[in-house]
Amino acid sequence: QEGMPQTLTSTSMFTPCGFSPHLHTSKEGEQGGLIFQDGNLTSASLDALIQHLIPTTDYYPEKAYIFTFLLSSRLFIEPHELLSRVCHKCIEQQRLDDPVLDKARIRKFGPKILQLLTEWTETFPYDFQEERMIGHLKDMIHRIAPCDEAYWKKMNQLLQTLNQKLATLSHGQEGIVKISAAVSDKLVAFKTKPPSIQREILSVCSDPYTLAQQLTHVELERLSHIGPEEFVQAFVHKDPLDGTKTCFSEQKKTSNLEAYVKWFNRLCYLVATEICMPAKKKQRAQVIEFFIDVARECFNIGNFNSLMAIISGMNMSPVSRLKKTWSKVKTAKFFILEHQMDPTGNFYNYRTALRGAAHRSLTAHSNREKIVIPFFSLLIKDIYFLNEGCANRLPNGHVNFEKFLELAKQVGEFITWKQVECPFEQDPNIIHYLHTAPIFTEDGLYLASYESESPENQTEKDRWKSLRSTILGKT
């Protein structure tokens, strides 16, 4: 694995995991409650890790450490509690409660604590939707501000940027067309004479290249709302050392992540619906070929999530059973794509292609070459297995930091990808269609499929009969 990718905002955020230079005194051993192996931090008590996060007049934690700890600490302590402890320790260590402050000392410390708070707000803005977080932040700055006028300005800038970011995120979330899971199974009844209301994809966009670009728009838009912490919060269990409560018990803050998975499912069903809908075999074959071309363009762009959704839609039984339709399709291109997404060897082919795209992204000269949209449910699965496969804490109660470095590496890479600006022009008409076009349920798909190509055996005949009566009210 190469060094971790650079983010666009803070260039050195994800450095390969060597930590603060002055901690490299020994290859192994312990310093300040931190356990090192080969110069890398492997485990420590939660207190020691919190201490390691706190800047002093002559120490500032490494970016990689800050990201890793802020990402994973929420498994042990809620963000507002962590920030509160950080502030208390700063007050103690820098004697910020003294009636007369040591100005020279605080001018050395000030920029560092401001830097830490800035990084926190930039990388985990959702943490600051909570009043208590803003309270701690303001309190800290109010204490150091008397020593330097510039600190007030810095605080206002920080809060302004944060507010803008949160506003953009929540506005963006509302702005995303709400996915209509509208079930239109009744449309099957109209297969013989399609009503004017039912548009089909080819009337909205007949160019595969354009559709692939618009899908990429939707993907990047949805990705941009997912906070890195959602990956960790999705797997929050009870912390063994804290018998009283689970962190975030009141809500699992993973709504953007869930919305993104819903979008993937919708795209699968939309593809299947578009293929099963047309009354004529020739048209169905045409739609299949169109989607194969769209999928190929997605692959070339580096949009693996849409690619996988399209292939999954084509592989759904109601679609794959349409033998007569498929016989009219030039399938060679489809097999190549299917091979790329073949799950054998833990998706070996896809992972190789993803590494290629990630590499291209690192050396890219244009946003067009930077695009990497991973097959999302596999990414979640990887993170899930990483999380299930190792304990958060070691038997001695220490935090298993080695595990969280690996977690930070995977999530860090994802953050880099989600920050890419979409280089393609947006077509609101197509994007609206993708989000709102009626789709069949699984039953509706089967019915449409049987209406297109009659059942082959008794099981299918029985199913067709029952679907006709439940959906169409016919016997």
Side-chain angles (χ1 to χ4, degrees):
Q1 194 78 32
E2 291 136 60
M4 292 176 80
Q6 304 295 310
T7 56
L8 307 178
T9 49
S10 42
T11 39
S12 61
M13 175 118 98
F14 309 110
T15 46
C17 310
F19 282 92
S20 317
H22 67 275
L23 291 171
H24 280 222
T25 44
S26 64
K27 276 289 179 201
E28 303 201 9
E30 178 178 352
Q31 290 131 7
L34 304 170
I35 309 290
F36 288 85
Q37 221 172 353
D38 300 330
N40 288 327
L41 178 51
T42 54
S43 75
S45 68
L46 186 57
D47 284 338
L49 291 171
I50 294 174
Q51 185 59 60
H52 193 51
L53 180 70
I54 294 170
T56 64
T57 49
D58 55 3
Y59 162 74
Y60 188 76
E62 288 211 348
K63 269 189 188 300
Y65 177 76
I66 297 172
F67 177 70
T68 304
F69 185 59
L70 289 181
L71 178 70
S72 55
S73 61
R74 59 202 65 240
L75 289 167
F76 308 101
I77 178 173
E78 291 193 41
H80 72 87
E81 216 175 309
L82 175 63
L83 184 53
S84 163
R85 283 176 66 174
V86 167
C87 292
H88 282 301
K89 288 199 167 183
C90 287
I91 292 166
E92 221 173 89
Q93 287 162 19
Q94 302 304 325
R95 300 200 288 281
L96 298 178
D97 267 343
D98 286 6
V100 180
L101 295 173
D102 177 348
K103 288 194 176 186
R105 177 191 175 119
I106 288 169
R107 282 203 189 104
K108 280 185 180 166
F109 167 73
K112 296 200 168 88
I113 188 69
L114 282 166
Q115 173 66 27
L116 181 68
L117 294 170
T118 305
E119 280 187 51
W120 194 334
T121 56
E122 278 175 0
T123 320
F124 299 95
Y126 289 123
D127 285 352
F128 292 85
Q129 280 172 317
E130 223 186 310
E131 276 305 308
R132 286 181 285 192
M133 291 290 284
I134 301 285
H136 295 315
L137 188 139
K138 285 181 174 169
D139 175 60
M140 191 67 233
I141 295 169
H142 280 232
R143 288 170 181 276
I144 61 172
C147 296
D148 195 329
E149 276 297 295
Y151 295 162
W152 291 115
K153 208 171 135 193
K154 197 80 171 124
M155 173 170 86
N156 288 327
Q157 261 175 335
L158 192 155
L159 290 173
Q160 223 176 337
T161 314
L162 178 64
N163 284 332
Q164 275 169 341
K165 195 156 187 179
L166 286 172
T168 315
L169 287 168
S170 70
H171 176 70
Q173 286 167 309
E174 287 150 28
I176 287 183
V177 192
K178 283 283 173 277
I179 285 187
S180 43
V183 177
S184 55
D185 293 349
K186 294 273 182 287
L187 286 169
V188 181
F190 303 123
K191 281 199 78 148
T192 41
K193 44 177 196 323
S196 51
I197 53 152
Q198 171 66 4
R199 299 157 74 198
E200 76 279 299
I201 190 78
L202 288 168
S203 68
V204 181
C205 175
S206 57
D207 173 39
Y209 191 65
T210 307
L211 188 60
Q213 292 188 342
Q214 296 311 303
L215 285 167
T216 303
H217 243 293
V218 174
E219 299 279 354
L220 285 170
E221 162 72 8
R222 289 185 167 272
L223 277 185
S224 70
H225 300 296
I226 298 172
E229 69 284 353
E230 294 193 40
F231 290 102
V232 175
Q233 282 156 197
F235 307 121
V236 165
H237 296 311
K238 259 183 133 57
D239 182 18
L241 290 195
D242 179 12
T244 51
K245 62 181 181 10
T246 326
C247 305
F248 302 105
S249 48
E250 71 284 10
Q251 75 192 108
K252 282 207 174 162
K253 302 171 184 168
T254 53
S255 52
N256 300 300
L257 196 136
E258 286 157 25
Y260 190 47
V261 173
K262 271 194 187 122
W263 150 253
F264 178 90
N265 293 335
R266 173 175 167 81
L267 184 53
C268 294
Y269 275 83
L270 181 65
V271 169
T273 301
E274 295 284 347
I275 295 170
C276 293
M277 200 46 218
K280 293 192 169 60
K281 179 169 61 188
K282 191 176 156 194
Q283 285 171 308
R284 290 194 299 273
Q286 193 188 352
V287 176
I288 290 178
E289 292 200 324
F290 172 70
F291 276 121
I292 292 171
D293 289 338
V294 174
R296 194 170 63 169
E297 290 306 336
C298 286
F299 181 82
N300 293 338
I301 289 171
N303 177 356
F304 297 106
N305 203 49
S306 293
L307 164 66
M308 198 56 161
I310 294 170
I311 291 175
S312 306
M314 290 183 171
N315 279 328
M316 287 174 82
S317 321
V319 177
S320 58
R321 70 168 289 280
L322 298 170
K323 307 273 191 297
K324 295 182 180 114
T325 304
W326 280 96
S327 70
K328 296 251 173 279
V329 174
K330 302 185 194 69
T331 46
K333 285 190 290 193
F334 180 62
F335 293 138
I336 292 169
L337 287 172
E338 235 189 354
H339 177 67
Q340 284 294 346
M341 289 298 175
D342 179 11
T344 46
N346 192 8
F347 288 91
Y348 179 79
N349 297 345
Y350 157 70
R351 291 180 192 279
T352 308
L354 181 70
R355 273 203 302 278
H359 190 69
R360 171 183 77 180
S361 180
L362 282 177
T363 54
H365 297 295
S366 67
N367 275 344
R368 172 76 181 70
E369 296 171 311
K370 278 190 186 133
I371 298 171
V372 183
I373 300 168
F375 168 31
F376 194 63
S377 29
L378 188 61
L379 175 69
I380 292 180
K381 204 168 116 185
D382 285 347
I383 290 175
Y384 175 79
F385 282 121
L386 168 65
N387 195 58
E388 290 296 300
C390 341
N392 290 340
R393 290 193 188 259
L394 303 173
N396 65 359
H398 270 195
V399 170
N400 181 2
F401 204 72
E402 222 169 346
K403 165 181 176 172
F404 296 120
L405 283 172
E406 186 51 46
L407 184 71
K409 197 160 138 188
Q410 294 193 12
V411 176
E413 206 166 17
F414 168 80
I415 294 186
T416 312
W417 297 336
K418 86 180 184 107
Q419 287 173 338
V420 176
E421 290 278 319
C422 191
F424 308 122
E425 209 173 317
Q426 203 169 0
D427 183 323
N429 197 14
I430 299 175
I431 286 180
H432 185 74
Y433 183 86
L434 289 171
H435 279 116
T436 59
I439 53 171
F440 291 150
T441 57
E442 197 169 352
D443 279 351
L445 285 172
Y446 271 110
L447 180 56
S449 178
Y450 296 142
E451 301 275 322
S452 299
E453 294 187 16
S454 318
E456 304 246 302
N457 54 39
Q458 200 49 50
T459 319
E460 288 193 345
K461 280 180 187 149
D462 294 343
R463 183 157 192 189
W464 189 23
K465 213 163 128 185
S466 88
L467 290 173
R468 286 194 74 137
S469 70
T470 51
I471 296 177
L472 302 180
K474 290 182 179 172
T475 47

Coordinates of all heavy atoms in Angstrom, one line a residue, residues 100-162:
V100 N -3.3 36.5 37.0 CA -2.5 37.2 36.0 C -1.9 36.2 35.0 O -1.3 35.2 35.4 CB -1.4 38.0 36.6 CG1 -0.5 38.7 35.6 CG2 -1.9 39.0 37.6
L101 N -2.3 36.3 33.7 CA -1.8 35.3 32.8 C -0.4 35.6 32.3 O 0.0 36.7 32.2 CB -2.8 35.3 31.5 CG -4.2 34.9 31.8 CD1 -5.1 35.2 30.5 CD2 -4.3 33.5 32.2
D102 N 0.3 34.5 32.0 CA 1.7 34.5 31.5 C 1.6 34.7 30.0 O 1.5 33.8 29.2 CB 2.4 33.2 31.8 CG 3.8 33.2 31.3 OD1 4.1 34.1 30.4 OD2 4.6 32.3 31.7
K103 N 1.6 36.0 29.6 CA 1.3 36.3 28.2 C 2.2 35.7 27.2 O 1.8 35.2 26.1 CB 1.2 37.9 28.0 CG 0.0 38.5 28.6 CD -0.3 39.9 28.1 CE -1.6 40.4 28.7 NZ -1.9 41.7 28.2
A104 N 3.5 35.8 27.5 CA 4.5 35.3 26.6 C 4.3 33.8 26.3 O 4.3 33.3 25.2 CB 5.9 35.5 27.1
R105 N 4.0 33.1 27.4 CA 3.7 31.7 27.3 C 2.5 31.4 26.5 O 2.4 30.5 25.6 CB 3.6 31.1 28.7 CG 3.3 29.7 28.8 CD 2.9 29.3 30.3 NE 2.5 27.9 30.4 CZ 3.1 27.0 31.1 NH1 4.2 27.4 31.8 NH2 2.6 25.8 31.1
I106 N 1.4 32.1 26.7 CA 0.2 31.9 26.1 C 0.2 32.2 24.6 O -0.4 31.6 23.8 CB -1.0 32.6 26.8 CG1 -1.3 31.8 28.1 CG2 -2.3 32.6 25.9 CD1 -2.2 32.5 29.1
R107 N 1.1 33.2 24.2 CA 1.3 33.5 22.8 C 1.9 32.4 22.0 O 1.8 32.2 20.8 CB 2.1 34.8 22.6 CG 1.2 36.0 22.9 CD 1.8 37.3 22.2 NE 1.0 38.4 22.7 CZ 1.5 39.3 23.6 NH1 2.7 39.1 24.1 NH2 0.8 40.3 24.0
K108 N 2.7 31.5 22.8 CA 3.2 30.3 22.1 C 2.2 29.2 22.0 O 2.2 28.5 21.1 CB 4.4 29.8 23.0 CG 5.7 30.6 22.8 CD 6.8 29.8 23.6 CE 8.2 30.5 23.5 NZ 9.1 29.9 24.5
F109 N 1.3 29.2 23.0 CA 0.3 28.1 23.1 C -0.9 28.4 22.2 O -1.4 27.5 21.6 CB -0.1 27.9 24.6 CG -1.3 27.1 24.8 CD1 -1.3 25.7 24.6 CD2 -2.5 27.6 25.1 CE1 -2.4 24.9 24.7 CE2 -3.7 26.9 25.3 CZ -3.6 25.5 25.1
G110 N -1.3 29.7 22.2 CA -2.5 30.1 21.5 C -2.7 29.6 20.1 O -3.7 28.9 19.8
P111 N -1.7 29.9 19.2 CA -1.9 29.4 17.8 C -2.1 27.9 17.7 O -2.7 27.5 16.8 CB -0.5 29.9 17.2 CG 0.0 30.9 18.1 CD -0.5 30.6 19.5
K112 N -1.4 27.2 18.7 CA -1.5 25.7 18.5 C -2.9 25.2 18.9 O -3.5 24.3 18.2 CB -0.5 25.1 19.4 CG 1.0 25.4 19.0 CD 1.9 24.4 19.6 CE 3.3 24.5 18.9 NZ 4.2 25.4 19.6
I113 N -3.5 25.7 20.0 CA -4.8 25.3 20.4 C -5.8 25.7 19.3 O -6.8 25.0 18.9 CB -5.3 25.7 21.8 CG1 -6.6 25.0 22.2 CG2 -5.4 27.2 21.9 CD1 -6.5 23.6 22.4
L114 N -5.6 26.9 18.7 CA -6.5 27.4 17.7 C -6.4 26.5 16.4 O -7.4 26.2 15.8 CB -6.2 28.8 17.3 CG -6.7 29.9 18.2 CD1 -6.0 31.2 18.0 CD2 -8.2 30.0 18.1
Q115 N -5.2 26.0 16.2 CA -5.0 25.1 15.0 C -5.7 23.8 15.2 O -6.4 23.3 14.3 CB -3.5 24.9 14.9 CG -3.1 23.8 13.8 CD -3.4 24.2 12.4 OE1 -3.5 25.4 12.1 NE2 -3.7 23.3 11.6
L116 N -5.7 23.3 16.5 CA -6.3 22.0 16.8 C -7.8 22.2 16.6 O -8.5 21.3 16.0 CB -6.0 21.6 18.2 CG -6.6 20.2 18.6 CD1 -6.0 19.1 17.8 CD2 -6.5 20.0 20.1
L117 N -8.4 23.2 17.2 CA -9.8 23.5 17.1 C -10.3 23.6 15.6 O -11.3 23.2 15.2 CB -10.2 24.7 17.9 CG -10.1 24.5 19.4 CD1 -10.2 25.8 20.2 CD2 -11.0 23.4 20.0
T118 N -9.4 24.3 14.8 CA -9.7 24.5 13.4 C -9.8 23.2 12.7 O -10.7 22.9 11.9 CB -8.7 25.4 12.7 OG1 -8.6 26.6 13.5 CG2 -9.0 25.7 11.3
E119 N -8.8 22.3 12.9 CA -8.7 21.0 12.3 C -9.9 20.2 12.6 O -10.5 19.5 11.8 CB -7.4 20.3 12.6 CG -6.2 20.7 11.8 CD -5.0 19.9 12.1 OE1 -5.1 18.6 11.9 OE2 -4.0 20.4 12.3
W120 N -10.3 20.3 13.9 CA -11.5 19.5 14.4 C -12.7 19.9 13.6 O -13.5 19.2 13.1 CB -11.6 19.6 15.9 CG -12.5 18.7 16.5 CD1 -13.6 18.0 16.0 CD2 -12.5 18.2 17.9 NE1 -14.2 17.2 16.9 CE2 -13.5 17.3 18.1 CE3 -11.7 18.6 19.0 CZ2 -13.8 16.7 19.4 CZ3 -11.9 18.0 20.2 CH2 -12.9 17.1 20.4
T121 N -12.9 21.3 13.6 CA -14.2 21.8 12.9 C -14.2 21.5 11.4 O -15.2 21.3 10.8 CB -14.3 23.3 13.1 OG1 -13.2 24.0 12.6 CG2 -14.6 23.7 14.6
E122 N -13.0 21.5 10.8 CA -12.9 21.2 9.4 C -13.2 19.8 9.0 O -13.9 19.5 8.0 CB -11.5 21.6 8.8 CG -11.4 23.1 8.5 CD -10.0 23.5 8.1 OE1 -9.1 22.6 8.0 OE2 -9.7 24.7 7.9
T123 N -12.7 18.9 9.8 CA -12.8 17.5 9.4 C -14.0 16.8 10.0 O -14.6 15.9 9.3 CB -11.6 16.7 10.0 OG1 -10.4 17.5 9.8 CG2 -11.4 15.4 9.2
F124 N -14.5 17.3 11.2 CA -15.7 16.7 11.7 C -16.7 17.7 12.1 O -17.1 17.9 13.2 CB -15.3 15.9 13.0 CG -14.4 14.7 12.8 CD1 -13.0 14.9 12.9 CD2 -14.8 13.5 12.3 CE1 -12.1 13.9 12.7 CE2 -14.0 12.5 12.1 CZ -12.6 12.6 12.3
P125 N -17.2 18.5 11.0 CA -18.1 19.6 11.3 C -19.4 19.2 12.0 O -19.9 19.9 12.9 CB -18.4 20.2 9.9 CG -18.0 19.1 9.0 CD -16.9 18.3 9.6
Y126 N -19.8 17.9 11.7 CA -21.1 17.5 12.3 C -21.0 17.4 13.9 O -22.0 17.6 14.6 CB -21.6 16.1 11.8 CG -22.0 16.2 10.4 CD1 -21.5 15.4 9.4 CD2 -23.1 17.0 10.0 CE1 -21.9 15.4 8.1 CE2 -23.5 17.0 8.7 CZ -22.9 16.2 7.7 OH -23.4 16.2 6.4
D127 N -19.8 17.2 14.4 CA -19.7 17.2 15.9 C -20.2 18.5 16.5 O -20.6 18.6 17.6 CB -18.2 17.0 16.3 CG -17.7 15.6 16.1 OD1 -18.6 14.7 15.8 OD2 -16.5 15.3 16.2
F128 N -20.0 19.6 15.7 CA -20.3 21.0 16.2 C -21.8 21.4 16.0 O -22.1 22.6 16.1 CB -19.3 22.0 15.7 CG -17.9 21.7 16.2 CD1 -17.1 20.8 15.5 CD2 -17.4 22.4 17.3 CE1 -15.8 20.6 16.0 CE2 -16.2 22.2 17.8 CZ -15.4 21.3 17.1
Q129 N -22.6 20.4 15.6 CA -24.0 20.8 15.6 C -24.6 20.9 17.0 O -25.7 21.3 17.2 CB -24.8 19.7 14.8 CG -24.7 19.8 13.3 CD -25.3 18.6 12.6 OE1 -25.1 17.5 13.0 NE2 -26.0 18.9 11.5
E130 N -23.7 20.4 17.9 CA -24.1 20.4 19.3 C -23.7 21.7 20.0 O -22.5 22.1 20.0 CB -23.5 19.2 20.0 CG -24.5 18.5 20.9 CD -23.8 17.4 21.7 OE1 -23.1 16.6 21.1 OE2 -24.0 17.4 22.9
E131 N -24.7 22.3 20.7 CA -24.4 23.6 21.4 C -23.2 23.5 22.4 O -22.4 24.3 22.5 CB -25.6 24.0 22.3 CG -26.7 24.8 21.5 CD -26.1 26.0 20.8 OE1 -25.4 26.8 21.5 OE2 -26.2 26.1 19.5
R132 N -23.1 22.3 23.1 CA -22.1 22.2 24.1 C -20.7 22.3 23.5 O -19.8 22.8 24.1 CB -22.2 20.8 24.8 CG -23.3 20.7 25.8 CD -23.4 19.4 26.5 NE -24.0 18.3 25.6 CZ -24.3 17.1 26.0 NH1 -24.2 16.8 27.3 NH2 -24.9 16.2 25.1
M133 N -20.6 21.8 22.2 CA -19.3 21.8 21.6 C -18.9 23.3 21.3 O -17.8 23.7 21.6 CB -19.3 21.1 20.2 CG -19.5 19.6 20.3 SD -18.0 18.7 21.0 CE -16.9 18.8 19.5
I134 N -19.8 24.0 20.8 CA -19.5 25.5 20.5 C -19.2 26.2 21.8 O -18.3 27.0 21.9 CB -20.8 26.1 19.8 CG1 -21.1 25.4 18.5 CG2 -20.5 27.6 19.6 CD1 -20.2 25.7 17.4
G135 N -19.9 25.8 22.9 CA -19.7 26.4 24.2 C -18.2 26.2 24.7 O -17.5 27.2 25.1
H136 N -17.7 25.0 24.6 CA -16.4 24.7 25.0 C -15.4 25.5 24.1 O -14.4 26.0 24.6 CB -16.0 23.2 24.9 CG -16.8 22.3 25.8 ND1 -17.0 22.6 27.1 CD2 -17.5 21.1 25.6 CE1 -17.8 21.7 27.7 NE2 -18.1 20.8 26.8
L137 N -15.7 25.5 22.9 CA -14.8 26.2 21.9 C -14.6 27.6 22.2 O -13.5 28.2 22.3 CB -15.3 25.9 20.5 CG -14.6 26.3 19.3 CD1 -14.7 25.3 18.2 CD2 -15.1 27.6 18.7
K138 N -15.8 28.3 22.5 CA -15.8 29.7 22.8 C -15.1 30.0 24.1 O -14.3 30.9 24.2 CB -17.2 30.3 22.8 CG -17.8 30.5 21.4 CD -19.2 31.1 21.6 CE -19.8 31.4 20.2 NZ -21.2 31.7 20.4
D139 N -15.4 29.1 25.1 CA -14.8 29.3 26.4 C -13.2 29.3 26.3 O -12.6 30.1 26.9 CB -15.3 28.2 27.4 CG -14.6 28.3 28.7 OD1 -14.7 29.3 29.4 OD2 -13.9 27.3 29.1
M140 N -12.7 28.3 25.6 CA -11.3 28.2 25.4 C -10.7 29.5 24.8 O -9.7 30.0 25.4 CB -11.0 27.0 24.5 CG -9.6 26.6 24.4 SD -9.1 25.9 26.0 CE -7.6 26.9 26.3
I141 N -11.3 30.0 23.8 CA -10.7 31.1 23.1 C -10.9 32.4 24.0 O -10.0 33.2 24.0 CB -11.3 31.3 21.7 CG1 -10.9 30.1 20.9 CG2 -10.8 32.6 21.0 CD1 -11.6 29.9 19.6
H142 N -12.0 32.5 24.7 CA -12.2 33.7 25.6 C -11.0 33.7 26.6 O -10.6 34.8 27.1 CB -13.5 33.6 26.3 CG -14.6 34.1 25.4 ND1 -15.6 35.0 25.8 CD2 -15.0 33.7 24.2 CE1 -16.4 35.2 24.9 NE2 -16.1 34.5 23.8
R143 N -10.6 32.6 27.0 CA -9.5 32.5 28.1 C -8.2 33.0 27.5 O -7.4 33.6 28.3 CB -9.3 31.1 28.6 CG -10.5 30.7 29.5 CD -10.4 29.3 29.9 NE -11.5 28.8 30.7 CZ -11.6 28.9 32.0 NH1 -10.5 29.5 32.7 NH2 -12.6 28.5 32.7
I144 N -7.9 32.7 26.3 CA -6.6 33.1 25.7 C -6.6 34.5 25.0 O -5.6 35.1 24.9 CB -6.0 32.0 24.8 CG1 -6.9 31.8 23.6 CG2 -5.7 30.7 25.5 CD1 -6.3 30.9 22.5
A145 N -7.8 34.9 24.7 CA -7.9 36.1 23.8 C -7.3 37.4 24.5 O -6.8 38.2 23.8 CB -9.4 36.3 23.5
P146 N -7.4 37.6 25.8 CA -6.8 38.8 26.4 C -5.3 38.9 26.1 O -4.8 40.0 26.1 CB -7.0 38.6 27.9 CG -8.2 37.7 28.0 CD -8.1 36.7 26.9
C147 N -4.7 37.8 25.7 CA -3.2 37.9 25.5 C -2.9 38.4 24.0 O -1.8 38.7 23.7 CB -2.6 36.6 25.7 SG -2.7 36.1 27.4
D148 N -3.9 38.3 23.1 CA -3.6 38.7 21.8 C -4.9 39.0 21.0 O -5.8 38.1 20.9 CB -2.9 37.5 21.0 CG -2.3 38.0 19.7 OD1 -2.8 38.9 19.1 OD2 -1.2 37.4 19.4
E149 N -5.0 40.2 20.6 CA -6.2 40.7 19.8 C -6.6 39.7 18.7 O -7.8 39.5 18.4 CB -6.0 42.1 19.2 CG -6.2 43.2 20.2 CD -7.6 43.3 20.6 OE1 -8.5 43.6 19.8 OE2 -7.9 43.1 21.8
A150 N -5.6 39.2 18.0 CA -5.8 38.4 16.8 C -6.6 37.2 17.1 O -7.3 36.6 16.2 CB -4.5 38.0 16.2
Y151 N -6.6 36.7 18.4 CA -7.4 35.5 18.7 C -8.9 35.6 18.5 O -9.6 34.7 18.2 CB -7.1 35.0 20.1 CG -5.6 34.5 20.3 CD1 -5.1 34.4 21.6 CD2 -4.8 34.3 19.2 CE1 -3.7 34.1 21.8 CE2 -3.5 33.9 19.4 CZ -2.9 33.8 20.7 OH -1.6 33.4 20.8
W152 N -9.4 36.9 18.8 CA -10.8 37.1 18.6 C -11.2 36.9 17.1 O -12.2 36.3 16.8 CB -11.2 38.5 19.0 CG -11.1 38.8 20.5 CD1 -10.3 39.7 21.1 CD2 -11.9 38.2 21.5 NE1 -10.5 39.7 22.5 CE2 -11.5 38.8 22.8 CE3 -12.9 37.3 21.5 CZ2 -12.1 38.4 24.0 CZ3 -13.5 36.9 22.8 CH2 -13.1 37.5 24.0
K153 N -10.3 37.5 16.3 CA -10.6 37.5 14.9 C -10.6 36.1 14.4 O -11.5 35.6 13.6 CB -9.5 38.3 14.2 CG -9.9 38.9 12.9 CD -8.9 39.9 12.3 CE -8.7 39.6 10.8 NZ -7.6 40.3 10.3
K154 N -9.6 35.3 14.9 CA -9.4 33.9 14.5 C -10.7 33.1 14.9 O -11.2 32.3 14.1 CB -8.2 33.4 15.3 CG -7.6 32.1 14.7 CD -6.8 32.3 13.5 CE -6.1 30.9 13.2 NZ -6.3 30.4 11.9
M155 N -11.2 33.4 16.1 CA -12.4 32.7 16.6 C -13.6 33.0 15.7 O -14.3 32.1 15.3 CB -12.8 33.0 18.0 CG -14.1 32.4 18.4 SD -14.5 32.5 20.2 CE -15.3 34.1 20.2
N156 N -13.8 34.3 15.3 CA -14.9 34.6 14.5 C -14.8 34.0 13.1 O -15.8 33.5 12.6 CB -15.0 36.1 14.4 CG -15.5 36.7 15.7 OD1 -16.3 36.1 16.4 ND2 -15.1 37.9 16.0
Q157 N -13.6 34.0 12.6 CA -13.4 33.3 11.3 C -13.8 31.8 11.4 O -14.5 31.3 10.5 CB -11.9 33.4 10.9 CG -11.5 34.5 10.0 CD -10.0 34.5 9.8 OE1 -9.3 34.1 10.7 NE2 -9.6 35.0 8.7
L158 N -13.3 31.2 12.4 CA -13.5 29.8 12.6 C -15.0 29.5 12.7 O -15.5 28.6 12.1 CB -12.8 29.3 13.9 CG -12.6 27.8 14.2 CD1 -11.4 27.7 15.1 CD2 -13.8 27.3 14.9
L159 N -15.7 30.3 13.5 CA -17.1 30.0 13.7 C -17.9 30.3 12.4 O -18.9 29.6 12.1 CB -17.7 30.9 14.8 CG -17.2 30.4 16.2 CD1 -17.7 31.5 17.3 CD2 -17.8 29.1 16.6
Q160 N -17.5 31.3 11.7 CA -18.1 31.7 10.4 C -18.0 30.5 9.4 O -18.9 30.1 8.8 CB -17.5 32.9 9.9 CG -18.5 33.9 9.3 CD -17.8 35.2 8.9 OE1 -16.7 35.5 9.3 NE2 -18.4 35.9 8.0
T161 N -16.7 30.1 9.3 CA -16.5 29.0 8.3 C -17.3 27.7 8.7 O -17.9 27.1 7.9 CB -15.0 28.6 8.4 OG1 -14.2 29.8 8.3 CG2 -14.6 27.7 7.2
L162 N -17.3 27.5 10.0 CA -18.1 26.3 10.5 C -19.5 26.4 10.2 O -20.2 25.5 9.7 CB -17.8 26.1 12.0 CG -18.6 25.0 12.7 CD1 -18.1 23.6 12.2 CD2 -18.4 25.0 14.2

